Amino acid sequence: MTQAPRKNLLSTERRGKKWMVTAGVILALISSIIFICATSPWMLYLARAVEWIALGAFMGTSNALLLHHTSQQYIKRSLAYSSMATLLGFSLGPAICGVIVQYSSFSPETFPYVVLLVLLLFALGLLFSLPPTNEKRNKQTPIRIRLGIPSKSRRLFVFFVCTAVFVMLALNGVVISLIPTFVHTILNLNNLAWSGLLLLIFLGGGAIAQQIAWPSHTNSRIQVGIILLLIGAWFMITAGFTSSMFLFIVGMILLAIGNGWTFQASMQLAGSLGETFERPTIISTYYLAGYTGMAIPTIGVGSLSTIVGLLPALIIFGTIVTLIGAGIIAVPKISERKKVSSM
């Protein structure tokens, strides 16, 4: 990110980080209400659109708000807890929904959003209980969407941190969309609760894997995590070809560990780059890269599968992601060589 006047960095400078996070939660509440009241397809699309706006407003700024209330020596630990909570949230959602849809006789299509509504109201109450951030606010600053790349670590951030979270969520998005199919073809089950349980193991396992201390170096943790993600993805693809339960389970375990290490370490690295006032835009850019990785490849694989079939589409996807992953592993080494040669 080029050095710009601080007042132009982000719309949080207009009202503050706490206000932006609160706005995200309120938009999520509105989205849940629309889902509950939906009676036609356009309302579902509207609810989903509002939900993604809420997520965009919340995710990056919430981490910046967390860092605002965190002492300098505890920043790495706080970001580790944040990444763990994110994976746990993503895993508990489908697990709870799967059980409700499969076993609840009380409006199973809307009841999950009622549960979400209650949780969001609880989160809103916790937000109001936070002390004020005492930020300098400029109400004349126009509201705008601004992203940021740290000027001193541009190469590392773009080609290593952002690309790592892109690959991680690209694999997650495709695997998550395929798990119901795998449950049916490999496990021979039609119970939706099993799909939710596998997602709980898949993403929740990533949160648990973050407690493993090795490898301790941030860059190495990301690199090993990417390797595990790629190997796990190929195990899953092969399981789809062979309908092998063993390959399916091993692939899920490798992907879970790779998720935990890659997300935790890349989040910590993103939070350590740039100046303090740059972090909201840096983390927002980090999440944009991640959710782009979840959206575009999933749509691409789905579209390609209609032309060449699902498994060939997965092979093409796996090959492309493997090549990107090899580049991620090489970036820090290239940077280190350049530093040595310039000395």
Side-chain angles (χ1 to χ4, degrees):
M1 181 177 63
T2 57
Q3 293 296 324
R6 181 173 176 177
K7 65 180 182 179
N8 292 327
L9 281 174
L10 191 70
S11 60
T12 52
E13 295 297 323
R14 179 185 176 95
R15 298 295 298 272
K17 300 180 188 70
K18 184 177 177 181
W19 179 89
M20 182 66 72
V21 173
T22 304
V25 174
I26 292 173
L27 284 172
L29 282 166
I30 294 171
S31 171
S32 298
I33 293 170
I34 297 173
F35 271 121
I36 292 170
C37 300
T39 56
S40 58
W42 71 266
M43 295 182 71
L44 296 177
Y45 286 115
L46 175 62
R48 178 61 77 180
V50 174
E51 182 181 48
W52 278 103
I53 294 172
L55 195 62
F58 177 85
M59 292 301 289
T61 314
S62 64
N63 281 282
L65 181 63
L66 174 67
L67 295 180
H68 185 91
H69 291 283
T70 303
S71 301
Q72 187 67 32
Q73 65 267 31
Y74 296 117
I75 284 179
K76 188 174 181 180
R77 184 182 301 177
S78 294
L79 290 172
Y81 288 144
S82 174
S83 62
M84 187 185 305
T86 301
L87 286 181
L88 282 174
F90 277 129
S91 64
L92 285 172
I96 294 171
C97 289
V99 171
I100 291 174
V101 171
Q102 185 66 40
Y103 297 111
S104 174
S105 58
F106 175 73
S107 187
E109 294 84 6
T110 58
F111 188 57
Y113 295 105
V114 175
V115 175
L116 179 59
L117 188 69
V118 173
L119 293 175
L120 286 168
L121 288 171
F122 178 70
L124 193 62
L126 290 177
L127 269 175
F128 284 132
S129 70
L130 284 178
T133 55
N134 296 322
E135 298 172 79
K136 292 182 179 180
R137 303 171 188 175
N138 183 1
K139 294 185 178 181
Q140 301 304 315
T141 301
I143 295 177
R144 64 183 71 180
I145 298 174
R146 295 294 297 270
L147 301 173
I149 299 173
S151 56
K152 296 180 181 179
S153 310
R154 183 177 289 113
R155 180 185 179 84
L156 182 68
F157 182 69
V158 173
F159 294 104
F160 188 61
V161 178
C162 286
T163 313
V165 74
F166 176 91
V167 168
M168 186 199 84
L169 287 181
L171 292 170
N172 279 359
V174 173
V175 170
I176 289 170
S177 65
L178 288 175
I179 277 182
T181 302
F182 283 177
V183 167
H184 178 69
T185 58
I186 297 176
L187 302 181
N188 297 314
L189 296 170
N190 293 316
N191 190 317
L192 295 175
W194 276 100
S195 297
L197 177 61
L198 286 174
L199 286 171
L200 175 63
I201 296 171
F202 173 49
L203 296 172
I208 296 171
Q210 293 182 12
Q211 299 303 305
I212 302 173
W214 183 90
S216 58
H217 190 272
T218 304
N219 286 6
S220 299
R221 199 168 176 84
I222 294 173
Q223 290 170 312
V224 175
I226 291 295
I227 292 171
L228 292 176
L229 284 169
L230 294 174
I231 296 173
W234 282 109
F235 267 78
M236 293 287 281
I237 292 171
T238 308
F241 269 114
T242 61
S243 297
S244 169
M245 176 87 68
F246 173 76
L247 293 177
F248 176 74
I249 292 173
V250 173
M252 287 276 289
I253 293 171
L254 293 175
L255 284 167
I257 299 172
N259 267 339
W261 290 357
T262 303
F263 190 42
Q264 180 190 48
S266 61
M267 169 72 78
Q268 290 175 334
L269 190 54
S272 67
L273 299 176
E275 303 296 333
T276 301
F277 66 88
E278 294 177 303
R279 284 174 185 160
T281 56
I282 291 172
I283 296 176
S284 294
T285 306
Y286 169 85
Y287 274 109
L288 176 64
Y291 289 123
T292 302
M294 180 171 280
I296 294 178
T298 304
I299 296 171
V301 170
S303 301
L304 189 60
S305 66
T306 62
I307 301 172
V308 299
L310 179 58
L311 290 176
L314 288 174
I315 291 174
I316 294 171
F317 165 75
T319 302
I320 294 172
V321 174
T322 300
L323 292 173
I324 297 174
I328 295 171
I329 296 168
V331 165
K333 296 179 181 178
I334 294 172
S335 299
E336 288 173 7
R337 288 175 188 169
K338 287 191 173 183
K339 285 182 181 179
V340 171
S341 63
S342 63
M343 297 176 101

